[in-house]
Amino acid sequence: MATATLTKSGDIAVIRLAHPPVNALAQGVRQGIQDGIAAANADPAIKAIVVTGDGRAFSAGADITEFRSGPKPPGLGEVIDTMEASAKPVVAALNGLALGGGLEVALGCHYRVANKAANQLGLPEVKIGILPGAGGTQRLPRIIGIEAALDMIVSGNPVNAEKAAKVGLVDRLVEGDVVEGAIAFARELVAAGKGPRPGSATRIDPASVPADLFAKKRASIARHPSGPMAAKNCIAAVEAAVGSDYKAGVARERALFLELAGKPYARALQYAFFAERQAANVPDIGKDVTPRDVKTVGILGAGTMGTGIGLAFLNAGLPVTIVEANQQALDQGAKRVRETIESNVQRSRISAEEGQKRLANLTTSLDLKALVNADLIIEAVFENMALKKEIFAKLDAVAKPGAVLASNTSTLDVDEIASATKRPQDVVGMHFFSPANIMRLLEVVRGKETAKDTLATAMAIARRIGKVGVVSGVCFGFIGNRMVEAYLEEAQAMLLEGATPADIDGALEAWGLAMGPLAMMDMAGLDVGYRIRQEHKLTPERAKLYRVTDAIVEMGRHGQKTGAGYYTYGADRKRQSDPKIEEMFAKEAAAQGLSNRKPGADEIVERCLLRLANEGAKILEEGIALRASDIDTIYLNGYGFPGWRGGPMWQIEEMGLAKVAEKIKAYEARHGKRWAIAPLIEKLVASGGKLADAGVKG
Ligand code: 3HC
Ligand code: NAI
């Protein structure tokens, strides 16, 4: 139920926003605020009004679920204007987060009081492709100054109560009950004869604004995570606050808001927001399944992944024991962990005390028995089935009953690994992405026998360490890497057709990807894929596509780490095109009798995207992924796919599946069976269905 209630505490009225869990400002809440303000103003016994939120939040802002159906009156801007026009002073009691429209409500109040729980105060609208549309771009600069407001609005990043008090967003910080604090503050105002203080009344003198402020900001947003429009419009809206009266500024804000609302970029970002939350719902794992308690974590292997995973847990405050087979590798890994933590202290990302705490939580050992007390053990040794099975058999003998045994394998069969133990129900895949302390994605691989509470534990721990957990079934490469195979293969084909590495990476990066496929392969190490290709014999067609890349690896060019791969790398690690590589592809193309047709940028993007999504549709139909939105969540969080493009599955749904099917078939006619269409796409075209409705519900 969405509402706002009015109660009285002597001569102070308290309006409480009530819409669990985060008091999103649905129609009922807006109406409640408006009615509450009117009633309090009409009541002669009331001297001042306090506005607060029920539960853990003040308010998370506009109800994003209402965006699709369109707003119902009263509009939020109108409600906030009514509040600000109150003849009696209105004080916000910030009891928890206030974001977006939530903070705009607080800005419409005449004064603001907060306690420590108000640890996120911000205007994150840009992150969902829009801008603060209820006066926020006009009131915030007037209240905290243009520079601080511009930073907050363009980054979308929140500040905590302490910082808010420093910049003048919060008038008083209180310990304990913030509503009591705000009531006391309101009584002081009344006693001092201080009335309403409307934030919109100030005029920002253009002379007070640094001349190059907006130009500099515009220059900084070329690759803003919200895409090409939202940050630009945010800047323009804040600029409109300078010199103008509030009404004119708000009219400009509205026009700029309407340019963004409902646009593909905004819809994609809003879809991504809900997709990420949806991924946490596993249909057969309800609230009745309790995750196991994880207090200590063991990690096997102190290589690239083991140390990154160790850092991810240390950063979340968990004690970690890393076990290695090799003293030198252990020393190097521990050194990397320590140096990363120390550099975080040096860069003031964490306090010295916090750094010490994290370092003290790290234990290292060469003895597997050091893991006897671990509640969760994650194996990150070499990608070799025999070795993994040997290790899991040993873990079975050492680990305590009920410990979750996870493998970070990126390709191997989790069921086969589990079969090396007598407790396959406790085994699960936890596929982190490199660098594991940074990348948000965690693919949680559910084996045939993985117990529900084992899976629930992996998903819960993902959230606890700030990762986005997405469930995958067992198959080669799981969801993300299986799709990437198709994508990389298409890139190989286009290299043979005459596109250069820079053409391919450039096209996809201009479209929005953080990094093109060939630069990505150079970064991950070309030898990694080479070894996998050697192990899993390729079909003759695929082998032909990879012939040049294999030759590049055999020349000792393994990518960035050897200073050369598809590109060459200088000391600054910047990539440079290498004509030698282009010649190698041209020669091979000639040998294979291919004509040089040099696909253009649009074709490059389309082919990469369609190969990704076509494989995604197969994965969805096989039940490896629960939903299309899970696949997109994987691409957005693990593969540098831009949020404002929604993800590969979102993209083909937007294109229209019938058109997509037509294109895929045309490519199949031209390039052969690697383009075989996913049956699910054909079925959906025939039934007029949507990818969003395929897969599981809930
Ligand atoms: N509208 C609708 N639902 C929302 C919501 C919102 N603004 N914010 C959160 N929710 C829902 C979530 O979907 C989730 O629902 P579920 O339980 O059914 O999955 C539930 O509330 C709890 O959210 P989280 O799981 O994300 O809880 P966390 O504690 O991890 O995070 C949060 C809370 C920081 C508030 C996070 O949800 C968030 O960032 N929300 C979006 C905030 C935002 O973008 N606000 C601006 C809205 S646009 C606006 O205000 C326009 C205005 O300028 C006119
Ligand atoms: P790595 O080669 O950097 O590290 C592996 C470490 O395991 C080495 O330090 C080695 O000494 C140690 N080790 C070997 N046998 C051991 C044993 N019996 N006990 C303890 N330690 C032992 O390898 P990397 O890249 O960290 O990969 C580890 C696993 O993570 C592999 O399964 C890989 O497929 C997977 N993975 C790798 C990713 C990457 O980008 N590198 C991404 C995601 C998963």
Side-chain angles (χ1 to χ4, degrees), residues 9 18 61 99 101 185 229 325 407 431 472 528 535 567 597:
S9 176
L99 296 174
F185 184 85
M229 285 180 75
S407 173
H431 183 213
S472 169
V528 178
E535 234 172 86
Y567 300 95
R597 49 173 303 280

Side-chain angles (χ1 to χ4, degrees), residues 300-306 323-326 329 380-383 387-388 391 408-410 431-432 434:
L300 270 160
T304 310
M305 294 309 289
V323 172
E324 248 293 340
N326 171 313
V381 304
F382 302 129
E383 186 77 342
L387 175 64
K388 302 230 184 218
I391 286 194
N408 180 49
T409 176
S410 37
H431 183 213
F432 288 81
S434 183

Side-chain angles (χ1 to χ4, degrees), residues 3-159:
T3 184
T5 58
L6 178 71
T7 53
K8 281 197 241 177
S9 176
D11 55 352
I12 308 293
V14 178
I15 298 174
R16 206 176 281 270
L17 321 186
H19 184 193
V22 287
N23 301 325
L25 297 162
Q27 195 271 342
V29 182
R30 300 196 296 272
Q31 190 66 57
I33 300 174
Q34 204 171 38
D35 294 348
I37 294 285
N41 271 286
D43 184 343
I46 293 298
K47 298 277 184 291
I49 304 160
V50 165
V51 179
T52 192
D54 206 23
R56 67 178 165 112
F58 179 78
S59 168
D63 189 337
I64 305 172
T65 58
E66 271 187 3
F67 286 5
R68 269 163 262 161
S69 55
K72 291 182 209 89
L76 186 59
E78 181 192 335
V79 171
I80 295 173
D81 287 346
T82 308
M83 249 175 56
E84 199 186 49
S86 162
K88 298 175 183 176
V90 184
V91 181
L94 299 170
N95 57 305
L97 58 85
L99 296 174
L103 188 68
E104 289 174 303
V105 168
L107 293 169
C109 296
H110 305 129
Y111 304 89
R112 285 155 294 277
V113 174
N115 67 5
K116 264 205 185 128
N119 59 359
Q120 290 186 64
L121 306 176
L123 294 173
E125 284 86 344
V126 72
K127 295 186 180 180
I128 52 170
I130 55 174
L131 54 77
T137 65
Q138 304 305 302
R139 285 196 182 92
L140 191 65
R142 285 172 164 83
I143 292 171
I144 69 167
I146 201 99
E147 291 184 70
L150 188 64
D151 279 348
M152 278 179 74
I153 291 169
V154 174
S155 72
N157 293 334
V159 295

Side-chain angles (χ1 to χ4, degrees), residues 483-493 516-518 520-521 546:
M483 285 167 67
V484 111
E485 276 294 308
Y487 163 77
L488 298 180
E489 183 183 88
E490 204 53 31
Q492 299 297 314
L518 304 160
M520 184 178 92
M521 286 171 81
Y546 276 100

Side-chain angles (χ1 to χ4, degrees), residues 285-520:
I285 301 185
K287 292 222 159 63
D288 54 318
V289 180
T290 313
R292 299 179 196 176
D293 201 13
V294 175
K295 291 206 181 73
T296 57
V297 178
I299 291 168
L300 270 160
T304 310
M305 294 309 289
T307 51
I309 297 168
L311 275 164
F313 283 98
L314 290 168
N315 293 348
L318 280 135
V320 170
T321 302
I322 302 185
V323 172
E324 248 293 340
N326 171 313
Q327 181 71 54
Q328 199 190 351
L330 185 61
D331 293 345
Q332 263 171 13
K335 185 164 165 245
R336 201 189 129 218
V337 172
R338 275 197 296 273
E339 284 176 355
T340 309
I341 294 174
E342 280 156 8
S343 117
N344 281 334
V345 172
Q346 268 152 26
R347 293 182 193 183
S348 304
R349 288 201 182 134
I350 54 171
S351 67
E353 192 193 345
E354 179 59 33
Q356 279 311 317
K357 232 167 50 197
R358 292 182 191 182
L359 289 170
N361 263 341
L362 174 68
T363 314
T364 59
S365 175
L366 289 172
D367 185 356
L368 207 63
K369 291 201 191 77
L371 303 181
V372 283
N373 288 320
D375 300 309
L376 164 67
I377 301 174
I378 302 172
E379 164 278 311
V381 304
F382 302 129
E383 186 77 342
N384 176 294
M385 181 56 93
L387 175 64
K388 302 230 184 218
K389 283 172 88 169
E390 183 194 320
I391 286 194
F392 271 75
K394 283 186 185 157
L395 278 178
D396 196 14
V398 167
K400 68 180 187 187
V404 168
L405 309 181
S407 173
N408 180 49
T409 176
S410 37
T411 53
L412 300 173
D413 182 340
V414 172
D415 292 325
E416 192 178 340
I417 295 175
S419 74
T421 72
K422 288 190 236 38
R423 38 174 139 172
Q425 74 280 2
D426 295 339
V427 178
V428 66
M430 287 178 71
H431 183 213
F432 288 81
F433 287 70
S434 183
N437 49 323
I438 310 272
M439 297 298 286
R440 287 185 79 219
L441 179 62
L442 177 61
E443 269 183 323
V444 175
V445 185
R446 183 176 196 168
K448 257 197 325 267
E449 301 198 47
T450 304
K452 287 184 181 179
D453 65 339
T454 303
L455 192 82
T457 308
M459 292 296 279
I461 204 82
R463 194 177 162 93
R464 200 163 142 201
I465 63 173
K467 306 274 181 229
V468 183
V470 184
V471 175
S472 169
V474 176
C475 69
F476 183 82
F478 314 121
I479 298 172
N481 283 348
R482 177 168 151 191
M483 285 167 67
V484 111
E485 276 294 308
Y487 163 77
L488 298 180
E489 183 183 88
E490 204 53 31
Q492 299 297 314
M494 291 190 286
L495 286 169
L496 286 168
E497 288 168 34
T500 65
D503 290 337
I504 296 176
D505 289 337
L508 287 153
E509 288 163 10
W511 189 76
L513 283 190
M515 192 183 269
L518 304 160
M520 184 178 92

